[in-house]
């Protein structure tokens, strides 16, 4: 399943049984290297919160899992973001930029691999976010991010959507080897990317955003 350049594609986080986040993106390219998506500043998106209005990061995880949740409309306030999803890999690579569109670093989002879906009018990818990340500066120095959060949640095995801690860390180390070697996509590719100025910024979520998650094998 390939996605045509320019098509709108939803990038969705599925946390266990629930949709936790949905971001409408634009397909920049989709080829043997992987799927490259553009998330424009100001895009409408959905984020999950507890029914008391707090987010998962506003409280201990022990508290979060005892509450009910809902998704609410939000906006992507940061500068536009490229998300690169390599094939058959349990991570995506985000290219951060400043307000002028200058590249400021990579962000390796560890996530259970993207499963694609195409409902005709709308298409997307579903990932399971694994919380642990790797921050990478333009000089390719790097550090782990959110390791404390990852460790905290692992203690709640029956509520946490990450099952295999060792697999997440191993994927992180695999990517760190690419980073240190300056291998693609950490070789300068797309750091000068400019979005097509005619792409409209999504002002709402397209119908079909709430379709069921793609079942995992
Ligand atoms: Mg993450």
């Amino acid at each position: 399943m390939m996605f045509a350049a320019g098509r709108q594609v939803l990038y969705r986080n599925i946390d266990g049984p629930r949709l936790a986040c949905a971001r409408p993106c634009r397909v920049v390219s989709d080829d043997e290297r992987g799927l490259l998506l553009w998330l424009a500043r100001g895009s409408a998106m959905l984020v999950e919160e507890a029914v008391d209005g707090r987010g998962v990061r506003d409280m201990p995880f022990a508290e979060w899992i005892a509450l009910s949740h809902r998704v609410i409309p939000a906006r992507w306030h940061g500068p536009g973001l490229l998300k690169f999803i390599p094939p058959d890999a349990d991570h995506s690579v985000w290219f951060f930029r400043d307000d002028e569109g200058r590249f400021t670093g990579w962000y390796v989002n560890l996530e259970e691999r993207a499963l694609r879906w195409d409902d005709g009018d709308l298409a997307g990818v579903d990932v399971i976010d694994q919380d642990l990340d790797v921050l990478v500066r333009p000089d390719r120095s790097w550090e782990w991010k959110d390791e404390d959060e990852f460790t905290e949640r692992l203690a709640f095995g029956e509520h946490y959507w990450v099952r295999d801690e060792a697999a997440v860390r191993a994927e992180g180390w695999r990517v760190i080897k690419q980073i240190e070697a300056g291998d693609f996509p950490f070789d300068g590719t797309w750091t000068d990317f400019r979005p097509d100025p005619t792409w409209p910024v999504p002002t709402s979520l397209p119908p079909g955003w709430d379709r069921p998650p793609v079942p995992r094998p």
Side-chain angles (χ1 to χ4, degrees):
M1 190 190 302
M2 302 294 276
F3 297 146
R7 188 174 186 187
Q8 183 167 265
V9 162
L10 269 192
Y11 175 97
R12 305 196 305 173
N13 287 128
I14 311 292
D15 287 356
R18 295 193 312 271
L19 174 72
C21 183
R23 296 172 170 178
C25 300
R26 194 71 56 179
V27 176
V28 177
S29 59
D30 190 16
D31 54 35
E32 65 289 342
R33 293 174 298 181
L35 174 62
L36 186 66
L37 300 176
W38 171 249
L39 174 65
R41 168 174 249 156
S43 294
M45 53 185 238
L46 294 172
V47 296
E48 188 180 36
E49 64 173 25
V51 285
D52 65 5
R54 289 181 298 160
V56 63
R57 294 183 137 165
D58 300 331
M59 66 184 89
F61 194 62
E63 206 176 321
W64 173 260
I65 60 181
L67 296 170
S68 299
H69 311 93
R70 62 188 173 205
V71 288
I72 57 156
R75 284 201 185 269
W76 178 256
H77 289 299
L81 183 67
L82 274 180
K83 289 185 187 232
F84 172 59
I85 302 174
D88 304 322
D90 292 309
H91 69 276
S92 59
V93 180
W94 303 359
F95 292 64
F96 279 121
R97 304 144 60 89
D98 65 14
D99 288 339
E100 278 71 50
R102 285 178 300 237
F103 174 70
T104 59
W106 299 274
Y107 184 99
V108 178
N109 197 60
L110 294 168
E111 61 194 27
E112 204 172 316
R113 66 193 52 198
L115 300 182
R116 297 178 181 224
W117 49 271
D118 187 344
D119 295 339
D121 288 340
L122 184 62
V125 293
D126 289 351
V127 308
I128 300 176
D129 195 273
Q130 297 170 319
D131 297 314
L132 187 63
D133 310 295
V134 185
L135 276 180
V136 191
R137 297 174 201 88
D139 67 0
R140 297 188 192 87
S141 59
W142 59 268
E143 62 187 76
W144 295 105
K145 181 173 170 288
D146 297 337
E147 198 163 14
D148 47 347
E149 193 173 87
F150 182 57
T151 305
E152 179 198 13
R153 294 178 185 184
L154 283 165
F156 298 87
E158 76 274 33
H159 294 283
Y160 194 27
W161 42 91
V162 175
R163 299 272 176 242
D164 189 344
E165 174 188 3
V168 176
R169 293 188 186 276
E171 178 78 350
W173 282 112
R174 197 176 72 75
V175 182
I176 287 164
K177 285 207 180 70
Q178 294 177 7
I179 295 163
E180 292 183 334
D183 289 343
F184 173 82
F186 306 100
D187 58 355
T189 302
W190 299 318
T191 53
D192 59 350
F193 172 80
R194 287 286 182 272
D196 183 332
T198 67
W199 285 339
V201 177
T203 54
S204 62
L205 268 287
W209 61 265
D210 55 350
R211 57 108 66 206
V214 179
R216 292 203 173 251

